[in-house]
Amino acid sequence: GAVVSQHPSWVICKSGTSVKIECRSLDFQATTMFWYRQFPKQSLMLMATSNEGSKATYEQGVEKDKFLINHASLTLSTLTVTSAHPEDSSFYICSGLADTDTQYFGPGTRLTVL
Amino acid sequence: DQQVKQNSPSLSVQEGRISILNCDYTNSMFDYFLWYKKYPAEGPTFLISISSIKDKNEDGRFTVFLNKSAKHLSLHIVPSQPGDSAVYFCAAQTNTGNQFYFGTGTSLTVIP
């Protein structure tokens, strides 16, 4: 079955540094990938939709210069949190949309900014 | 390989009847299970959860049942309402709580 992986699964960084999170679809091609951030009470907020080869579409309130998304290939999308601050500490989850219109979620990346 | 599976991609139910959404898992280390509801173009919204020490958790119209021996959980919605029409994802976590494992979702349509 289709699997989406994320790397790293857990990252701790200092305030002001940048962190890159990778999202890979392992046995399917994902033209579209989504990035979510988990909020209290466990709901996931859609941050952006990324389409391979084009600029990501960001949801209202999400700073595109802070959360850089690159979808360079059909199997890889990256989220870079630039100049991270403690308030960026969260759980980030990606998902890939297969051509069957099925959405496969990654296991998530826990970011802790000190 | 998918460790959490939702084998029914879609389900249609008449308004007022019970909706039963099923989820199976393979990893016996999972000890916390969640159900999410998702509307198009939005992130999944947390609905209800259950710990592995329980076999049932109820919240209003929503009840989740866990059968650990069968590695199976189900979400019951009763009575179903048209506003319940959405995609429902089940998810599981291990006791370290560091990663989610999502199913692929079941699209529920409640017919008025």
Side-chain angles (χ1 to χ4, degrees), chain A residues 54-104:
Chain A
S54 62
K55 289 185 179 179
T57 303
Y58 290 81
E59 296 299 305
Q60 194 171 11
V62 179
E63 298 176 60
K64 62 180 181 182
D65 294 329
K66 181 167 186 63
F67 298 99
L68 300 178
I69 291 171
N70 184 280
H71 194 159
S73 77
L74 288 171
T75 58
L76 173 65
S77 176
T78 60
L79 167 68
T80 302
V81 183
T82 62
S83 188
H85 287 97
E87 57 266 29
D88 299 324
S89 298
S90 190
F91 200 73
Y92 293 88
I93 294 180
C94 72
S95 69
L97 197 62
D99 56 11
T100 55
D101 220 25
T102 302
Q103 190 170 8
Y104 296 94

Side-chain angles (χ1 to χ4, degrees), chain B residues 30-95:
Chain B
F30 290 145
D31 65 354
Y32 191 63
F33 304 89
L34 310 94
W35 281 95
Y36 287 85
K37 177 179 178 180
K38 184 183 180 303
Y39 292 114
E42 294 181 8
T45 303
F46 171 72
L47 200 56
I48 192 169
S49 64
I50 188 167
S51 162
S52 62
I53 61 173
K54 293 186 170 183
D55 54 19
K56 177 183 174 181
N57 189 24
E58 192 171 351
D59 183 3
R61 296 186 297 113
F62 303 92
T63 304
V64 57
F65 295 92
L66 175 62
N67 182 333
K68 289 186 289 293
S69 60
K71 294 192 177 69
H72 176 84
L73 66 154
S74 60
L75 174 68
H76 292 212
I77 306 172
V78 56
S80 301
Q81 299 173 354
D84 297 329
S85 297
V87 178
Y88 290 79
F89 290 92
C90 68
Q93 285 183 299
T94 62
N95 56 15

